[in-house]
Each structure stands twice: as structure tokens, then as C-alpha cells.
């Protein structure tokens, strides 16, 4: 069963949960996806996650490796743009082979420095990776890592809903502070 919208599309009626499809349709699972998974904003470290059949290929090309690093072991590597051959950053690199990963697929994580420029360069470098024949590497759509985890049996619907609510409440908790900071003139004198 494919679920295209999670909790917002799950309806409770008469003791049965009905799932309706939202207007969002996602690409096939043959795609390898990547995204910033640590959240947007200033941070010391940013985590870029890659999931799919070509996650290992991404690591090999970005870090100029002969073979994949040991599973679930953090190693320090230089991230290099595969086409421009420019150094992007020094990163802690992890590889999680399927099925023992967050999504149940091969997953790679790049723990890079958290500046906007480094994160942007890392994502651009990922878009330049050459996948294997007949596949593609693309940015993930919102909620796609969670959806893949659900469909591969790594999360149940309760965990998905809890995850979505937690993320939503986390975003909501910053709104009053943000609105207040926008209305206060910090630079006022006198």
C-alpha cells in the first residue's frame, strides 16, 4: 500500500482508519534522494542524508574513495565536488547498508560544517554525482525519508504521525518568538 500523505490524510471514521491520497505524488523508489536532515538554520554541524540504491555511489564519488567505509563507523573525509574537483569541506561520513538504516535502504550521512555556504555546496556536489545506469539522484521531497521508512517497515503509522506532530509543534513554538522579534526595534536609540 502506498501512502502519499501521512497523518493529515488519515481519517478516523467509525473505528477504521481510512487513508486518502493527497495531491502530492512522489517519484519512484529507483531514485536516490538527498536532503539536509538536521534542519535549516545556523548550526555548528549540518547532517546531509542520502537514501537509495546509489547512496554508496554518492560517497565514493564525493570522497574519492576506492571502497565504501565500514558500516556504521564515522570516518573523517574530504568532500570534493565530483565535476569541479574543488574541496567542499571536511566531513564525518557514515554509511548504513540496507536494511538496517533509517529508511530501510542504503543510507549515507555527511556531517559537514553548518554554514549556509558549506551546506549549499554539499547539496550542489550531490546533484553533480553520476548515478548508475537508469537511475537518478535528486533532492528529496518533504517527508520522503519518513515515507520510505514507513513503506519499508522501519516505522509504523503511529511513529509517522508522532514524528509529524513533533516537527509541526517544534516549528509552531518559534512563531511567537519570531513575531515578537520582528515587532521590536532592537536598534532604537534614546
Amino acid at each position: 500500500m502506498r501512502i502519499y500523505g501521512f497523518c493529515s490524510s488519515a481519517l478516523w471514521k467509525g473505528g477504521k482508519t481510512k487513508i486518502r491520497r493527497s495531491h502530492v505524488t512522489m517519484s519512484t523508489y529507483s531514485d536516490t534522494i538527498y536532503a539536509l536532515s538536521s534542519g535549516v538554520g545556523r548550526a555548528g554541524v549540518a547532517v546531509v542524508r542520502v537514501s537509495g540504491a546509489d547512496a554508496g555511489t554518492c560517497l565514493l564519488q564525493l570522497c574519492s574513495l576506492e571502497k565504501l567505509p565500514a558500516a556504521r563507523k564515522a570516518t573523517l573525509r574530504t568532500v570534493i565536488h565530483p565535476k569541479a574537483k574543488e574541496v567542499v569541506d571536511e566531513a564525518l561520513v557514515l554509511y548504513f547498508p540496507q536494511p538496517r538504516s533509517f529508511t530501510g535502504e542504503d543510507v549515507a550521512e555527511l556531517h559537514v560544517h553548518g554554514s549556509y555556504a558549506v551546506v549549499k555546496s554539499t547539496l550542489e556536489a550531490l546533484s553533480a554525482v553520476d548515478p548508475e545506469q537508469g537511475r537518478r539522484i535528486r533532492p528529496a521531497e518533504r517527508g520522503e525519508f519518513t515515507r520510505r521508512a514507513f513503506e519499508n517497515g522501519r516505522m509504523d503509522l503511529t511513529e509517522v504521525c508522532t514524528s509529524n506532530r513533533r516537527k509541526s509543534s517544534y516549528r509552531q513554538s518559534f512563531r511567537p518568538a519570531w513575531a515578537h522579534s520582528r515587532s521590536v526595534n532592537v536598534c532604537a536609540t534614546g
Side-chain angles (χ1 to χ4, degrees):
M1 172 172 76
R2 290 193 183 267
I3 295 180
Y4 289 82
F6 288 135
C7 296
S8 59
S9 298
L11 302 174
W12 180 260
K13 285 194 175 181
K16 295 181 181 175
T17 303
K18 290 187 176 183
I19 306 295
R20 78 182 140 140
R21 293 183 181 190
S22 70
H23 65 282
V24 178
T25 58
M26 308 224 184
S27 298
T28 63
Y29 283 128
S30 63
D31 294 351
T32 296
I33 58 172
Y34 63 88
L36 178 66
S37 66
S38 58
V40 180
R42 284 194 286 172
V45 175
V47 178
V48 176
R49 181 175 290 152
V50 183
S51 180
D54 283 322
T57 303
C58 290
L59 275 185
L60 293 173
Q61 289 185 30
L62 287 176
C63 300
S64 300
L65 299 173
E66 299 288 322
K67 63 178 188 163
L68 289 171
R72 289 174 265 299
K73 302 256 191 230
T75 56
L76 185 63
R77 297 283 184 239
T78 301
V79 177
I80 300 170
H81 193 287
K83 296 220 163 80
K85 302 297 182 202
E86 297 172 345
V87 173
V88 174
D89 195 22
E90 291 284 324
L92 280 178
V93 174
L94 292 104
Y95 179 67
F96 303 93
Q98 68 173 342
R100 292 180 51 209
S101 67
F102 175 74
T103 61
E105 304 171 325
D106 288 344
V107 171
E109 287 186 356
L110 301 155
H111 296 237
V112 298
H113 290 94
S115 74
Y116 174 77
V118 170
V119 171
K120 183 179 176 194
S121 296
T122 304
L123 295 175
E124 287 173 358
L126 277 163
S127 69
V129 169
D130 289 326
E132 293 190 20
Q133 188 74 24
R135 297 185 186 151
R136 56 181 212 149
I137 298 171
R138 62 173 177 80
E141 296 176 25
R142 187 173 182 173
E144 194 167 3
F145 287 110
T146 305
R147 186 184 65 127
R148 287 184 177 201
F150 173 74
E151 290 190 352
N152 289 324
R154 301 297 294 166
M155 296 177 87
D156 62 23
L157 193 56
T158 306
E159 292 171 312
V160 170
C161 290
T162 303
S163 172
N164 287 345
R165 284 191 191 118
R166 193 174 343 117
K167 289 176 188 173
S168 176
S169 66
Y170 179 75
R171 283 187 215 107
Q172 293 292 331
S173 69
F174 284 105
R175 283 200 175 152
W178 179 81
H180 178 71
S181 70
R182 302 292 288 169
S183 65
V184 175
N185 187 354
V186 178
C187 298
T189 57

